[in-house]
Amino acid sequence: MKRSPKFIVVGGEVAGLAATLRLAERGAAVQLFSTMPAGRALSADGVDGFNGASNAMGEGDAPRIHFEATIRAGDFLANQELPRRLCDAAPGLIDLFDRMGVAFDRTPEGRVDFSRGEGSRFRRTAFAGDKTGLSLASALDGQVRRYEKAGLVERFAGWEFVSAVLDGRGICRGLVAQNLTTMAFESYKADAVLACTGGAVSVFGSSSAAPFEGFAAAPLYRQGASYANGEFVHFQPAAIHGADKARLIPDVPGGRFWVPRQGSPWYFLEEGSEAAEAPTHEAVNRAIHKVIYELNLGIDGEPAVYLDFTGSRPKGFGPSRSFDDFCMKFARTNPREIALKVSPAVRCTQGGLWTDDDHMTNIPGVFAAGECCYQYHGAALLDGNALPARAFGGFYAADRALEYASGLARGCDETDEAHFINESSLQRERFQGIVDMSGPENPRHLREELGRTMTEAMSSVRNNAKLKSAVNRIREFKERFDRCGVSDKSTWMNQEAVFSRRLRGMLDIAHVMTLGALLRDESRGNHHKPEFPERDDEKYLKTTKARYGKEEPLISYEDVDTRHIKPAPFPFGREKKAS
Amino acid sequence: MNAVRIKIRRQDKPGSGAYWESFEVPRRSGMNVTALLMEIRKRPVNHHGEAVSPVVWDDGCGESDCGACTMLINGRPRPACETFIDALEQPIRLEPLSKFQVVRDLIVDRSSMFDALKRVKAWVELDGTYDAGQAPRVTIREALLAQDLSRCTSCGACLEVCPQYGPHAQFIGAAAISQARLTALHPIAKAGVPERLDTLMEEGGVEDCGHAQNCVKACPVGIPLTESIAAVKREATKRAFHRFFG
């Protein structure tokens, strides 16, 4: 009898749930691991909509035009095969999620309504109110629950991916995970492991939108997986900065940015700036950066500007629907009466685990999808593309993982038990080492310092002196980490020890990100260096690849696959009219 | 010093005794309960100046979208992230939700809520995730209602305030009933409605609601829960009538 392959998916959000669903639907047994309980984990993608060139509005839109816009927005740094497939599949994905019960906005005829994204000529973004990401994740979660009830999916909620189990030939045969309540370590066998654990925004500390720190990319990087394009980070132009975190403001229609200048409001985006031409996030971020740091016109000397909705009324649909409630709750002001004080904040990372066009990392048997994978977006994210890439990536990675696993000559059940036992006890010992740490450094303070360092050096405008000092700081942080003390010695739900282990991973990834930015002497997408204001295709039309080295990340470069569209100069990814 | 006084009901693990511990934290502007707990976590020292184990809570999305940080704040179930401290009477009392088992400190086990979603089959019976063409049309009104209902985060606030919900009773609670209604709204799910309603007509179903109407007031995202219960009840009555008279 033919053995049936085993799969493990790590991550319970859009990409992970999509992958789990696809695998279960094909009759495969799946174990789904997530740090948060079922249906809890969700990314900042909630502020975004879902692109698909259905041409539902009769404007002459087509997947090919969407694809071109995607590649241009990414400033030609994205490998082109996966985005092409994504754009072809996106209209069908919107239908699928509509069938699944995502509460999309509607036209008067009852069809899915589409909005125009920033800088786009076409209405191709579908929203489910202002909670598109949440709605997508819940619909997928319901589908996965259905297969859970049918016995095909086994959930491990409240478990953390700790490391992959590799056999003597370096092939992944399973993983070691830790139960975050009992703190027990267990190994699990799988022919393929799919990492869908999100991006690395947590290295930015409280100036980022997502506090989730449990990403699997860091331990995999340590085990030899390459990390690609770490230097590319997406900033949302407007966020409310709270005492605990930054809360992103969606691109709500009607908002106007201004700062006081000589006693009256200056609407700095509306005067012949690049941003006035094409208000992409990059252009708006740079304009805000200039106002705050070059012209010193931040409100009351603070790094903030006003975002003003006082002249506009909320729409019944789209991202503005409960925007007013959101402002009342978290800014505690009525945005229709008082202008909001905002500044840019980190929304997501474009870099992540390197994969081939089959979503497989360079560790055979480990796949990556969602924000923890670097594909699709290149040097900048086209608005509305994050969610489709998460969903499509999850489905597509699952299909490729099925192929891979059924092609294996020997399965995980035939792997020597010693590999599992050894990896498990290695990780258990390492963790005990962390619990026992009793030095003077406070890991929580260290993380705040890391966040400040990253926010300063890795903002939308960068320079080499700052980046160099950030890389040095991160080296220091790594040394200081070894002198940390862990305040909780409990053997039950010890969050501090788990946090400290994650922090060590964050430091590795932060090192990759800053070093990648330092070495990239050009301006491309959301990586802007005034010292090198031009895009330099000759030298840097390359994917940055980092591999773990004992002291420093080992950086190399790889050619970008530009098989469909030849790179051309194209500032800020403004779309062409349909021809 | 402008300090905030906090009293936290703590518990080291399930089954161990609960105890109150007090803390004082320097006030910062724009502080919510999450920021308060972050300060304690950073420097876990109680008001006697003794080093203690850090207080744990479920630190989720921070935007009322995940429900995880919902706890009793001065006796009311609320998400820590959207509760700002300047409006709270001091000492601020933080307790875990009382209708679930405590795992540690302010963290509770809500798995019963997810089991309830399985019982009411809160999903559309899809043929598959392949491209099977467009879904049936949905009116703007239905879509708006679906958007409201789909904001449920399984935070448990509605169950906390419900006199009918708890270890003393079978009642499935407002959250699952409302999610069943959301699923039933979907044109494709209509085929499965009778079965879904059967579950809610059994013991512990919609008839066990005692009309206290506390749930709708407690819901942090404003879901019309009592409306959902009434709507499901109407459908269930219709179904019972049809079943009886065939």
Side-chain angles (χ1 to χ4, degrees):
Chain A
M1 205 185 90
K2 198 177 179 312
R3 63 183 183 86
S4 56
K6 289 182 182 168
F7 298 90
I8 290 178
V9 175
V10 191
E13 217 237 316
V14 172
L17 292 168
T20 305
L21 177 56
R22 179 60 62 84
L23 289 164
E25 192 175 273
R26 299 277 150 97
V30 196
Q31 294 178 316
L32 170 60
F33 287 77
S34 59
T35 53
M36 299 289 276
R40 285 267 189 265
L42 55 121
S43 73
D45 294 340
V47 300
D48 215 358
F50 196 110
N51 283 345
S54 308
N55 193 30
M57 301 302 168
E59 299 169 317
D61 197 9
R64 173 75 196 185
I65 302 175
H66 179 198
F67 170 59
E68 283 182 20
T70 302
I71 296 303
R72 289 214 173 90
D75 233 346
F76 296 91
L77 199 68
N79 294 311
Q80 295 184 357
E81 189 52 21
L82 282 170
R84 191 191 61 77
R85 287 173 186 269
L86 165 69
C87 295
D88 282 347
L93 286 176
I94 292 176
D95 290 339
L96 168 63
F97 285 115
D98 193 12
R99 284 163 50 219
M100 211 182 274
V102 172
F104 285 121
D105 300 350
R106 297 284 151 177
T107 66
E109 275 189 39
R111 298 182 305 139
V112 174
D113 196 11
F114 288 82
S115 310
R116 201 181 311 282
E118 293 281 324
S120 173
R121 289 186 186 280
F122 299 97
R123 284 190 281 169
R124 76 162 73 97
T125 314
F127 283 95
D130 65 342
K131 302 285 175 197
T132 317
L134 181 59
S135 189
L136 221 62
S138 336
L140 283 163
D141 199 39
Q143 294 299 316
V144 167
R145 204 165 275 130
R146 176 180 165 203
Y147 284 100
E148 205 185 337
K149 193 167 180 171
L152 274 169
V153 174
E154 191 185 355
R155 277 212 211 227
F156 293 77
W159 285 71
E160 177 147 289
F161 171 94
V162 179
S163 65
V165 175
L166 308 180
D167 70 9
R169 289 158 57 214
I171 298 172
C172 173
R173 301 297 189 175
L175 56 71
V176 171
Q178 184 178 25
N179 181 318
L180 297 178
T181 305
T182 66
M183 310 317 281
F185 283 82
E186 298 283 350
S187 61
Y188 293 88
K189 292 179 182 177
D191 295 300
V193 170
L194 288 83
C196 309
T197 55
V201 295
S202 58
V203 301
F204 290 89
S206 61
S207 66
S208 74
F212 303 111
E213 308 129 346
F215 55 108
L220 285 167
Y221 163 72
R222 246 210 181 190
Q223 288 186 288
S226 293
Y227 198 91
N229 288 347
E231 60 269 35
F232 294 96
V233 179
H234 188 89
F235 287 78
Q236 185 82 6
I240 305 167
H241 289 262
D244 52 341
K245 64 169 280 190
R247 294 182 173 88
L248 307 180
I249 295 180
D251 301 317
V252 177
R256 296 173 79 191
F257 286 96
W258 62 273
V259 285
R261 188 180 60 173
Q262 292 156 1
S264 59
W266 175 41
Y267 296 93
F268 54 88
L269 284 187
E270 298 167 22
E271 287 176 17
S273 66
E274 288 168 320
E277 284 291 305
T280 61
H281 286 169
E282 279 72 58
V284 177
N285 286 335
R286 269 172 235 166
I288 293 175
H289 192 273
K290 189 172 173 190
V291 164
I292 294 174
Y293 296 104
E294 287 174 38
L295 306 174
N296 292 316
L297 285 172
I299 307 166
D300 303 328
E302 285 177 49
V305 298
Y306 286 119
L307 178 56
D308 198 333
F309 292 93
T310 54
S312 68
R313 300 260 77 79
K315 281 205 317 174
F317 252 152
S320 68
R321 185 156 177 250
S322 52
F323 168 69
D324 293 37
D325 295 343
F326 170 84
C327 293
M328 299 291 269
K329 259 184 190 173
F330 294 108
R332 295 191 293 167
T333 36
N334 182 342
R336 311 291 163 179
E337 285 168 9
I338 296 169
L340 302 165
K341 218 172 176 182
V342 301
S343 56
V346 181
R347 176 167 127 196
C348 59
T349 47
Q350 271 105 62
L353 290 170
W354 179 92
T355 71
D356 59 18
D357 281 350
D358 287 339
H359 272 280
M360 189 156 88
T361 67
N362 57 309
I363 300 178
V366 177
F367 292 74
E371 198 185 329
C372 79
C373 160
Y374 90 113
Q375 297 278 10
Y376 299 99
H377 310 301
L381 171 71
L382 180 71
D383 236 19
N385 263 4
L387 287 171
R390 315 288 189 245
F392 176 82
F395 287 132
Y396 193 78
D399 287 337
R400 300 288 81 79
L402 273 162
E403 276 173 17
Y404 164 84
S406 48
L408 282 176
R410 293 157 69 89
C412 58
D413 290 325
E414 294 160 81
T415 306
D416 189 349
E417 286 296 326
H419 294 298
F420 295 93
I421 296 165
N422 293 346
E423 185 63 32
S424 220
S425 49
L426 173 73
Q427 295 301 340
R428 196 178 296 118
E429 274 164 38
R430 274 198 191 152
F431 184 72
Q432 194 54 48
I434 290 177
V435 175
D436 292 340
M437 287 170 84
S438 53
E441 292 279 356
N442 183 326
R444 296 282 175 184
H445 287 159
L446 201 55
R447 195 273 180 91
E448 279 179 15
E449 281 184 60
L450 171 67
R452 280 196 295 273
T453 303
M454 291 298 285
T455 307
E456 240 185 86
M458 294 288 284
S459 76
S460 46
V461 179
R462 300 166 176 181
N463 76 62
N464 281 346
K466 261 191 189 165
L467 286 167
K468 213 171 273 173
S469 92
V471 173
N472 286 330
R473 297 271 322 212
I474 290 162
R475 286 191 194 114
E476 276 171 41
F477 294 154
K478 284 182 175 175
E479 283 168 25
R480 283 169 59 192
F481 178 87
D482 295 332
R483 296 193 297 274
C484 272
V486 171
S487 61
D488 196 349
K489 303 296 179 196
S490 165
T491 53
W492 182 263
M493 200 173 246
N494 187 330
Q495 288 184 342
E496 292 311 292
V498 170
F499 167 77
S500 300
R501 179 176 60 204
R502 292 173 183 172
L503 175 62
R504 189 61 190 77
M506 284 183 224
L507 292 171
D508 280 340
I509 299 299
H511 201 162
V512 168
M513 293 166 78
T514 44
L515 189 59
L518 175 64
L519 297 177
R520 186 175 280 277
D521 280 336
E522 65 161 351
S523 289
R524 184 187 296 270
N526 52 35
H527 167 82
H528 184 65
K529 259 186 199 176
E531 299 158 85
F532 303 92
E534 302 296 323
R535 199 176 85 196
D536 182 352
D537 281 353
E538 195 129 324
K539 268 169 127 169
Y540 294 108
L541 181 58
K542 307 261 188 217
T543 298
T544 309
K545 279 175 88 169
R547 294 195 71 157
Y548 179 76
K550 203 152 173 47
E551 301 293 322
E552 298 283 314
L554 311 170
I555 304 281
S556 62
Y557 295 93
E558 181 181 88
D559 285 339
V560 176
D561 168 11
T562 56
R563 72 179 91 168
H564 298 294
I565 303 174
K566 292 293 157 235
F570 211 92
F572 302 126
R574 180 106 166 138
E575 278 176 78
K576 276 195 303 201
K577 242 198 174 103
S579 48
Chain B
M1 183 179 75
N2 193 357
V4 187
R5 287 173 301 130
I6 314 122
K7 256 180 91 173
I8 300 176
R9 186 183 161 94
R10 307 194 61 179
Q11 190 174 326
D12 297 339
K13 52 172 64 181
S16 74
Y19 56 97
W20 287 92
E21 192 150 57
S22 297
F23 295 87
E24 278 183 17
V25 166
R27 179 189 286 275
R28 284 166 57 198
S29 74
M31 211 175 203
N32 55 4
V33 172
T34 304
L36 205 63
L37 286 165
M38 282 175 164
E39 287 300 318
I40 296 176
R41 180 167 72 182
K42 228 183 289 172
R43 191 175 161 273
V45 171
N46 68 15
H47 76 305
H48 297 303
E50 299 157 352
V52 295
S53 67
V55 176
V56 306
W57 82 102
D58 253 337
D59 188 10
C61 71
E63 305 191 2
S64 307
D65 278 347
C66 83
C69 68
T70 303
M71 57 183 69
L72 287 174
I73 300 171
N74 285 352
R76 276 181 58 200
R78 303 174 71 177
C81 64
E82 64 170 62
T83 308
F84 285 82
I85 61 163
D86 43 14
L88 295 174
E89 198 181 305
Q90 288 190 32
I92 298 169
R93 279 176 298 119
L94 304 181
E95 297 167 76
L97 294 179
S98 69
K99 298 282 174 85
F100 306 98
Q101 191 184 51
V102 174
V103 184
R104 185 177 170 186
D105 291 342
L106 300 168
I107 297 184
V108 294
D109 177 5
R110 292 180 178 86
S111 49
S112 59
M113 293 195 76
F114 302 114
D115 291 340
L117 292 178
K118 273 192 234 170
R119 272 172 60 201
V120 301
K121 299 191 177 167
W123 54 72
V124 177
E125 303 276 342
L126 272 196
D127 288 345
T129 57
Y130 47 86
D131 187 357
Q134 290 188 357
R137 298 192 178 195
V138 171
T139 64
I140 290 182
R141 245 183 80 187
E142 286 169 328
L144 283 170
L145 177 58
Q147 286 179 2
D148 284 345
L149 299 181
S150 64
R151 300 193 63 174
C152 177
T153 62
S154 298
C155 71
C158 58
L159 307 180
E160 182 68 25
V161 297
C162 174
Q164 312 308 121
Y165 186 91
H168 62 283
Q170 296 289 310
F171 185 43
I172 192 164
I177 295 173
S178 188
Q179 288 301 292
R181 180 189 182 206
L182 168 65
T183 312
L185 273 179
H186 192 282
I188 294 177
K190 292 226 161 90
V193 171
E195 227 188 297
R196 208 167 278 119
L197 288 181
D198 287 348
T199 316
L200 288 175
M201 286 159 68
E202 291 161 9
E203 207 194 331
V206 72
E207 288 301 332
D208 287 20
C209 163
H211 303 281
Q213 312 227 352
N214 293 348
C215 54
V216 70
K217 286 174 223 150
C219 179
V221 289
I223 296 174
L225 291 166
T226 42
E227 244 180 75
S228 286
I229 295 172
V232 170
K233 231 180 213 176
R234 270 197 308 276
E235 286 301 314
T237 313
K238 265 195 248 168
R239 168 125 175 103
F241 186 83
H242 283 299
R243 268 214 304 207
F244 190 75
F245 296 104

